[in-house]
Amino acid sequence: MKIIVLGTGYVGLVHAAVCSEYGHEVYAYDSDLDKIKAFSTGQAEKIEKYVNEPGLANIIRETLGRYLFFSTELESIIEGADAVFMCLPTPPNLDGSTNLTFYDAAAQHIAELSARRKDKRRVVFINKSTVPIGTGRHLQNIMKAQDVANFGVASNPEFLAEGSAVLQARRPDRVVVGADEEQDFNILRRVYSQFVHHVRIKYIETTPETAEAIKYVANTMLLTYISFWNGVGAKIGEKLPNIKIDDLRLGVTADERISTWGSFVSNGAGGSCFGKDIASLIYQLRSVNVSTKMLEASYEVNEYQKVYLIDRAITEAGFKFNNKTIAVLGLAFKKHTNDMRDSSSIKVIESLLGKGVSKIQAYDPLANETARDVFDPSKNILFEKIHYYDSAKEAIKGSDAIFISTDWEEFRGISRTIEELVKPPYLIMDGRRMIPDYEDLVKKEYTYLAVGSMVMTPEKN
Ligand code: UGA
């Protein structure tokens, strides 16, 4: 199949690479010349500057120039295409609705070019990145308005999670295809021929609107589950005596109907999708007069969760942030990525700065560079108080308290470093419950405050 992927963000680039691995002829298009130049080198360090996914650069290096091609010229590649995947950014508007400006511009562009095709073979335009329910119809209208001949529209939502996107793209748990016509389902079956009759992969064919809705319901359900644990499970551990949150989790998730994923209490779920998708679904449902109380609660629990350990540090541990130096470990929204979109660490750092800390000593194994852009001092003079370090050790040295915001495995061993470098009184705020031997630290007079349990101070223990 000749496949065009419009947009080489994380969804588009992974999809293009994995399709090329299965022997399709894939053209990945982006209007950003610097990106396309970087990807066309096939060099890991240049590719990972834009999309850092384990295994991705290897595939690109191996298929580049044989099955995978990069371009900034749509006109020269549209001829003969069977499938065009729309993988455009769809950022949120302030009211929660989805901003389709980039999407519409790209759709309009491809529609105009497709109308001038000479080959007239069947081509399917497929929405892959998350778009509001009904966007497939909207795309159909854009194509019709340009008199594009012999085309179909489909929805094929992406369910990849960052950090394991390549693994999941090679072996997804399901492939969802929404279309109106058999010939378009057929084209998608050929694109995904390796999955259609797979014994363990569910290949689901439905209407375009249902496919679009599946993505929203899946993501909002996942966030609601996390919010349930943070808003109910964690609170039980924090407010009622003698509760061990980790045992609570084990006991509840022993039921095979209840997932362990999402049951790890945290200082909130970040990432580019959950917050944006739940806000968009709230907007979409409100516009058809549906009560969205439940979704709003999930969203609010998650947002408050990002900073409430700082409030607890003041009210429960009596900590005063003014003029203090705070080590922040973990900036990425989760481990194995340098992505900081909607990361809890952003809210944490903003809150700390708002409370008058004198210095933030930040460290992340991958996201320090991302953070320098996010906290650009030209946007806010307070960001000058953030200093970046190449190791957890350096970040901890000289601090008055620590905040662990990301679940990087290397933080599990941090108690020894803390003992070595900083003496009590010292406050440990653990947003990810990363310190298994916290009781030893408390015995040595450190104060331990974690999501999911009561504050542990030397006197209280
Ligand atoms: C999420 C979904 O998991 C994917 O299925 C979906 O395709 C993707 O969004 C998307 O729409 O593109 P992702 O944003 O990569 O994937 O991240 P997750 O692995 O879902 O984690 C989201 C956040 O929840 C992270 O901050 C993570 O640390 C947090 N989390 C996860 C918890 O706080 N507790 C948990 O038990 C699990």
Side-chain angles (χ1 to χ4, degrees):
M1 306 296 277
K2 178 171 177 180
I3 293 174
I4 294 179
V5 176
L6 284 193
T8 57
Y10 139 85
V11 169
L13 191 64
V14 173
H15 183 61
V18 173
C19 281
S20 73
E21 207 180 20
Y22 288 112
H24 296 302
E25 185 185 341
V26 183
Y27 293 83
Y29 163 87
D30 205 293
S31 55
D32 182 339
L33 183 61
D34 289 341
K35 253 185 171 184
I36 291 297
K37 272 189 186 157
F39 298 152
S40 305
T41 64
Q43 291 170 20
E45 75 221 47
K46 297 203 170 133
I47 296 166
E48 285 163 6
K49 210 182 127 211
Y50 293 98
V51 182
N52 195 334
E53 273 301 317
L56 181 62
N58 277 349
I59 306 179
I60 295 177
R61 199 183 53 237
E62 275 163 29
T63 60
L64 192 64
R66 296 192 303 130
Y67 295 105
L68 180 61
F69 307 88
F70 290 99
S71 176
T72 50
E73 300 282 331
L74 254 188
E75 196 155 6
S76 58
I77 55 180
I78 185 68
E79 208 65 41
D82 298 290
V84 179
F85 284 91
M86 310 288 287
C87 303
L88 286 317
T90 49
N93 289 318
L94 281 178
D95 61 3
S97 61
T98 305
N99 182 335
L100 288 175
T101 313
F102 298 112
Y103 178 91
D104 281 346
Q108 188 62 31
H109 186 38
I110 190 90
E112 285 162 15
L113 295 177
S114 300
R116 303 207 292 265
R117 286 181 310 153
K118 291 187 199 75
D119 63 277
K120 307 285 185 236
R121 65 197 283 153
R122 184 78 176 176
V123 58
V124 194
F125 300 97
I126 305 138
N127 282 329
K128 186 134 197 81
S129 46
T130 310
V131 286
I133 303 164
T135 306
R137 277 315 141 207
H138 168 68
L139 183 60
Q140 203 167 33
N141 292 336
I142 294 176
M143 296 298 157
K144 276 186 190 157
Q146 293 299 322
D147 285 331
V148 178
N150 201 15
F151 79 93
V153 161
S155 165
N156 169 226
E158 186 58 80
F159 298 101
L160 305 177
E162 287 190 40
S164 52
V166 168
L167 279 176
Q168 291 179 353
R170 282 173 170 159
R171 200 189 168 306
D173 41 17
R174 81 286 220 193
V175 176
V176 173
V177 176
D180 294 320
E181 296 194 42
E182 185 57 20
Q183 53 183 331
D184 299 330
F185 281 121
N186 257 330
I187 289 179
L188 268 301
R189 282 179 209 137
R190 288 180 60 195
V191 170
Y192 292 120
S193 60
Q194 73 275 25
F195 301 137
V196 177
H197 298 296
H198 198 287
V199 282
R200 277 183 296 274
I201 295 170
K202 294 192 178 78
Y203 194 88
I204 300 158
E205 295 183 334
T206 182
T207 66
E209 287 79 0
T210 311
E212 289 162 345
I214 286 172
K215 175 63 192 253
Y216 279 104
V217 176
N219 266 8
T220 52
M221 163 102 67
L222 292 173
L223 180 62
T224 301
Y225 187 62
I226 292 177
S227 283
F228 180 85
W229 274 101
N230 283 333
V232 179
K235 298 293 170 289
I236 291 173
E238 287 155 13
K239 296 289 174 198
L240 300 182
N242 215 18
I243 300 281
K244 287 197 178 294
I245 181 76
D246 298 317
D247 295 344
L248 181 73
R249 176 171 50 77
L250 282 177
V252 174
T253 58
D255 183 332
E256 63 181 18
R257 293 168 302 175
I258 300 179
S259 134
T260 48
W261 186 95
S263 67
F264 294 89
V265 297
S266 64
N267 60 318
S272 64
C273 303
F274 282 168
K276 175 176 81 125
D277 290 354
I278 201 163
S280 175
L281 189 59
I282 290 171
Y283 183 90
Q284 293 176 57
L285 290 177
R286 272 190 194 153
S287 61
V288 287
N289 294 322
V290 171
S291 161
T292 52
K293 270 187 192 159
M294 190 165 164
L295 297 177
E296 285 163 45
S298 296
Y299 181 82
E300 281 161 21
V301 165
N302 191 52
E303 287 309 298
Y304 181 52
Q305 193 70 11
K306 294 178 180 176
V307 289
Y308 97 121
L309 260 188
I310 294 175
D311 290 350
R312 286 183 68 205
I314 298 167
T315 55
E316 295 175 31
F319 191 80
K320 294 188 175 54
F321 284 98
N322 199 28
N323 279 328
K324 295 282 171 30
T325 295
I326 313 293
V328 175
L329 294 199
L331 300 163
F333 82 95
K334 65 173 182 182
K335 63 185 170 184
H336 303 315
T337 178
N338 63 351
D339 193 340
M340 281 183 65
R341 284 175 293 173
D342 235 350
S343 178
S344 303
S345 69
I346 299 176
K347 286 260 172 89
V348 166
I349 288 177
E350 284 173 353
S351 169
L352 291 171
L353 291 171
K355 302 220 170 332
V357 301
S358 57
K359 189 178 176 195
I360 286 177
Q361 305 192 150
Y363 164 69
D364 188 285
L366 283 185
N368 278 5
E369 281 314 305
T370 321
R372 284 182 210 275
D373 289 340
V374 173
F375 300 115
D376 179 352
S378 69
K379 289 186 214 153
N380 182 343
I381 187 99
L382 286 178
F383 294 158
E384 279 180 2
K385 293 183 175 183
I386 311 170
H387 297 249
Y388 301 93
Y389 297 85
D390 292 332
S391 68
K393 245 182 177 172
E394 290 167 80
I396 291 171
K397 214 182 272 175
S399 61
D400 300 297
I402 188 174
F403 194 113
I404 302 177
S405 186
T406 312
D407 52 344
W408 287 105
E409 295 302 337
E410 66 173 81
F411 299 155
R412 290 195 192 280
I414 213 71
S415 48
R416 273 187 61 179
T417 314
I418 292 176
E419 275 182 53
E420 247 172 64
L421 296 175
V422 283
K423 298 291 160 228
Y426 187 84
L427 173 67
I428 301 155
M429 291 166 280
D430 189 348
R432 294 290 187 151
R433 300 190 65 82
M434 295 304 286
I435 304 186
D437 48 350
Y438 59 84
E439 281 169 350
D440 293 344
L441 282 172
V442 177
K443 275 186 200 134
K444 290 171 186 155
E445 309 278 296
Y446 293 88
T447 301
Y448 183 71
L449 176 67
V451 56
S453 44
M454 288 181 172
V455 64
M456 300 180 81
T457 54
E459 317 81 84
K460 279 195 183 172
N461 197 35

